[in-house]
């Protein structure tokens, strides 16, 4: 049995390792196209001797060994968050093991999620002075978030630069094979390929793994073979350059120019971050197997072979990769290289979509349309607005620079910045999550931080020569993220400080001093506790409200995924006669809110189960809200499974309207609903009817409450949201007025509306206008 289990595990990991070639390693494996060209650019052209070329290979070899192999494969891949990797996974782990999160509506009940408890227990670190220090100072927590967002901005910069440099480097082989092609024609050809690449993004990447893996494997076998041929044919002595002694010789010959050329050396490890970022689609073991057994030896041999060729042909450095290929193989290799470049670009573009989605979940990016492109692979998404913005920026970089050396300067700076951020966050993970000694974390930070710091300093020297591009891009995206986060936080704080007093509600009595009409009112708010100001604003202007009220809060929690069984948190807002409930819908930072048209039915079922559970099993409630006037809350499963507490559900035809609904709705409303259904046939909202189960022993008060809930459901649901206008107070500073009145207002007007983002049917939406003076 153990043998069978181990064979099943091994075979699964081998299959995943095969698939990872098409998703993870496309970018990393195409680096030989432009590494040596960038190392020997500028004044390094005066140092094209055999010893310097050997030293350049030695630098590439040890960089490739220390950072991708030692740091990422051996250490960083172990710091996963429920199987997920990337910058946000590290930040999420830190937020759960130390109170570093700035998400405003977090509750103690969120800590009871099964995915929240991933990793070692936090009890041992409860008295850590460093932990208390970070938790106490909000500015440090804000600085940590800014570091994470800066890393995310650089990843978005990668999404612009990777397609540009990869495709332009690949098609440059045509210039060597056919001298008739001019540089302008090559740039135009690269632009055509890039437009095609971005235009096909809407098809999704669910077939990427099986379609693209063979391309990358053929590419790896090709460059391995050419590398071996060049070592044997041109200069077998290149094997001696594996010694770090040649690195000392390299710097003794080149001096300052050699240090600046490190910006070219670091291009050999671009794409390394994808191993960690794409961990969620594979396993750590599969990625380790693929890198250690295939990627590492193939690329080391290729770099070695290219250096052996250049040591005898230094004049070929400007187009080193294609010059090192035998003439007969130039055309086939150029085609394979272009395909491999497209694979690498595809992976980075997909990672960019994922990063933007995660930034939005943290409240740091405007609402955008997220399309789920695969029914089988969870997490494969497409964001149209981001896709076209990336395409325009990539074309601008390609046409503007037209040179892989300039783009390489920009690309290297973006990649090394992301790696530096990962090193910093990993040091914190070692302390707070793995609960190792501070000394170990400091050693990790000093060792890898020093290496990456040296490369980063060299990359920063090339800011005037193209390195400014990722800095400008990241500054723009950081500005957008910060303005959105700042405005969202100010708006939430306004809601928090202007909540309706529950004591006032209780004083009004169950009728709330207004007319209670048939139906359910779903009041959306970002508040996880209390009654939002839009409720009092609504009843003040229109003194009537639905018989059943549900305050709905859709929020993100610092975990990658929330299981359907733990999605809903149900509770009361006031005592039973008021018929007022609260529903908190929780999503992880990688969860996708799908419009399956079944939210109302799941909500009614969950509230019904809550009502019955409250009567028979009071001890099972979450104690997180027990001290507040909101009452206790319970986790309700959203799985469509019949339990002893479930209502009896009978499905209706999709286009028919229930008789009981007709009785309580005007003919005008019925005709509007019918027209809406006809225009929205792609949204299959189930029309269902609930019935009470036959239970003679049921409490009469519980039965009455359930009947009220069912009748309200049959009368129809209305979705009430605040249509807010956020403005800075008159006494605010000029910068605050600029940020809120211009920046935040512009982003709100040009992003998706909250009703669209939450998949609320337009026919049932009521918006309450409110001005927020923050």
């Amino acid at each position: 049995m153990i043998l069978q289990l181990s064979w099943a595990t091994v075979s699964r990991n081998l299959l995943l390792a095969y698939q990872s070639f098409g998703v993870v390693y496309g970018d990393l494996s195409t680096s030989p196209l432009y590494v040596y060209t960038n190392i020997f650019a500028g004044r390094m052209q005066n140092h094209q001797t055999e010893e310097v070329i050997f030293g350049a290979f030695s630098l590439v070899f040890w960089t490739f060994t220390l950072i991708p192999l030692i740091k990422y494969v051996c250490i960083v891949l172990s710091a996963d968050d429920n199987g997920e990797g990337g910058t946000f996974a590290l930040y999420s782990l830190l937020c759960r093991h130390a109170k570093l999160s700035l998400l405003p509506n977090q509750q103690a009940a969120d800590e009871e999620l099964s995915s929240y408890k991933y990793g070692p227990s936090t009890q041992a670190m409860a008295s850590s002075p460093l932990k208390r220090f970070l938790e106490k100072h909000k500015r440090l927590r804000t600085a940590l978030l800014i570091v994470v967002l800066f890393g995310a901005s650089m990843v978005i910069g990668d999404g612009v630069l990777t397609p540009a440099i990869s495709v332009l480097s690949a098609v440059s082989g045509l210039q060597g094979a056919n001298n008739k092609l001019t540089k302008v024609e090559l740039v135009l050809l690269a632009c055509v390929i890039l437009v095609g690449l971005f235009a096909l993004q809407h098809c999704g990447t669910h077939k990427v793994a099986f379609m693209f893996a063979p391309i990358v494997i053929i590419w790896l076998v090709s460059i391995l073979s050419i590398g071996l041929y060049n070592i044997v044919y041109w200069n077998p002595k290149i094997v001696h350059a594996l010694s770090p002694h040649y690195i000392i010789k390299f710097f003794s010959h080149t001096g300052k120019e050699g240090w600046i050329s490190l910006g070219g050396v670091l291009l050999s490890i671009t794409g390394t971050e994808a191993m960690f970022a794409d961990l969620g689609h594979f396993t750590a073991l599969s990625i380790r197997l693929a890198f250690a057994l295939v990627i590492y030896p193939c690329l080391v041999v290729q770099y070695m072979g290219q250096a052996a060729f250049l040591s005898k042909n230094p004049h070929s450095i400007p187009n080193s990769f294609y010059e090192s290929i035998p003439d007969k193989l130039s055309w086939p290799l150029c085609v394979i290289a272009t395909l491999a470049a497209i694979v690498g670009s595809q992976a980075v573009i997909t990672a960019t979509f994922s990063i933007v989605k995660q930034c939005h979940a943290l409240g740091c990016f405007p609402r955008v349309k997220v399309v789920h492109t695969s029914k089988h692979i969870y997490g494969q998404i497409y964001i149209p607005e981001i896709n076209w913005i990336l395409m325009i920026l990539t074309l601008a970089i390609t046409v503007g620079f037209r040179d892989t050396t300039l783009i390489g300067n920009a690309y290297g700076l973006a990649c090394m910045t992301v790696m530096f951020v990962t090193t910093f966050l990993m040091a914190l993970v070692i302390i707070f999550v793995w609960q190792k000694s501070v000394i170990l974390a400091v050693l990790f930070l000093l060792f890898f931080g020093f290496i990456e710091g040296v490369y980063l300093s060299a990359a920063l020297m090339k800011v005037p020569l193209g390195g400014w591009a990722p800095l400008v891009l990241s500054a723009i995206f950081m500005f957008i993220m910060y303005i959105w986060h700042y405005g969202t936080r100010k708006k939430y704080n306004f809601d928090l400080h202007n909540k309706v007093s529950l004591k006032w509600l209780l004083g009004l009595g169950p009728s709330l001093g207004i007319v209670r009409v048939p139906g359910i009112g779903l009041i959306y708010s970002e508040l996880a506790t209390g009654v939002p100001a839009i409720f009092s604003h609504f009843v003040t202007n229109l003194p009537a409200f639905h018989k059943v009220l549900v305050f709905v809060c859709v929020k993100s929690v610092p975990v990658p995924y929330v299981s359907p069984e733990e999605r809903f948190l149900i509770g009361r807002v006031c005592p039973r006669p008021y018929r007022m409930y609260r529903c908190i819908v929780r999503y992880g930072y990688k969860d996708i809110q799908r419009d399956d048209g079944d939210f109302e039915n799941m909500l009614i079922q969950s509230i019904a189960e809550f009502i019955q559970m409250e009567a028979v099993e009071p001890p099972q409630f979450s104690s997180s809200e027990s001290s507040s006037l909101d009452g206790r809350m319970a986790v309700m499963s959203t799985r469509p499974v019949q339990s002893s507490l479930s209502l009896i559900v009978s499905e209706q035809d999709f286009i028919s309207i229930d008789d009981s609904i007709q009785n309580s709705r005007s003919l005008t409303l019925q005709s509007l609903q019918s027209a809406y259904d006809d225009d929205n046939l792609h949204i299959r909202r189930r029309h269902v009817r609930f019935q009470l189960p036959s239970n003679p022993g049921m409490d009469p008060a519980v039965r009455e409450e359930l009947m009220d809930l069912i009748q309200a459901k049959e009368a129809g649901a209305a979705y009430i949201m605040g249509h807010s206008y956020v403005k800075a107070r008159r006494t605010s500073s000029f910068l605050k007025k600029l940020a809120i009145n211009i920046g935040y207002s512009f982003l709100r007007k040009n992003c998706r509306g909250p009703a669209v983002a939450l998949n609320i049917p337009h026919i049932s939406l009521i918006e309450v206008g409110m001005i927020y003076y923050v």
Side-chain angles (χ1 to χ4, degrees), residues 203-207 371-381 594:
C203 298
T205 56
H206 53 281
K207 295 182 180 178
V371 181
H372 196 74
T373 57
S374 174
K375 294 179 181 179
H376 307 292
I377 302 176
Y378 197 84
Q380 294 289 351
I381 59 173
R594 298 189 185 185

Side-chain angles (χ1 to χ4, degrees), residues 1 67 101 125 132 137 139 232 267 286 308 312 334 429 504 518 534 547 576 578 582 584 605 612 673 685 690 737:
M1 182 66 185
I67 295 181
S101 176
M125 290 299 297
R132 288 200 306 270
H137 295 84
R139 288 185 179 180
V232 174
L267 292 177
S286 64
K312 300 298 182 184
C334 183
V429 167
W504 174 71
I534 61 166
K547 193 170 185 180
R576 179 174 287 172
Y578 286 74
R582 181 181 307 286
I584 297 173
Q605 191 81 321
Q612 297 175 80
Q673 179 69 51
R685 299 186 182 279
F690 293 102
K737 288 179 179 177

Side-chain angles (χ1 to χ4, degrees), residues 597-619:
D598 209 26
F599 175 74
E600 280 180 35
N601 301 322
M602 290 190 295
L603 180 62
I604 298 301
Q605 191 81 321
S606 297
I607 293 174
E609 290 189 20
F610 168 81
I611 292 167
Q612 297 175 80
M613 187 184 291
E614 186 185 39
V616 298
E617 300 176 17

Side-chain angles (χ1 to χ4, degrees), residues 413-433:
L413 179 59
C415 291
M416 189 48 67
T417 304
V418 176
M419 291 182 188
F420 198 77
V421 169
T422 300
T423 300
F424 172 71
L425 293 176
M426 267 303 301
L428 295 177
V429 167
I430 290 170
I431 299 171
F432 297 126
V433 182

Side-chain angles (χ1 to χ4, degrees), residues 101-147:
S101 176
L102 289 175
L103 288 174
N105 52 4
Q106 299 305 293
Q107 300 167 283
D110 298 337
E111 298 179 14
E112 297 172 13
L113 290 167
S114 56
S115 54
Y116 200 99
K117 301 167 185 174
Y118 187 82
S121 171
T122 58
Q123 293 177 358
M125 290 299 297
S127 60
S128 167
L130 179 61
K131 183 180 175 183
R132 288 200 306 270
F133 180 74
L134 289 173
E135 291 176 347
K136 183 179 177 182
H137 295 84
K138 187 179 178 182
R139 288 185 179 180
L140 291 175
R141 289 183 284 137
T142 304
L144 180 64
L145 178 62
I146 289 172
V147 167

Side-chain angles (χ1 to χ4, degrees), residues 26-27 30-31 33-34 161-172 194 322 337-338 340-342 344-345 404 407 411:
D27 185 15
T30 52
S31 295
L33 288 169
Y34 43 77
L161 297 167
T162 300
I165 191 171
S166 298
V167 173
L168 194 57
S169 298
V171 299
S172 66
L194 288 169
Y322 286 107
T338 305
I342 291 171
S345 304
T404 54
I407 301 174
Y411 187 37

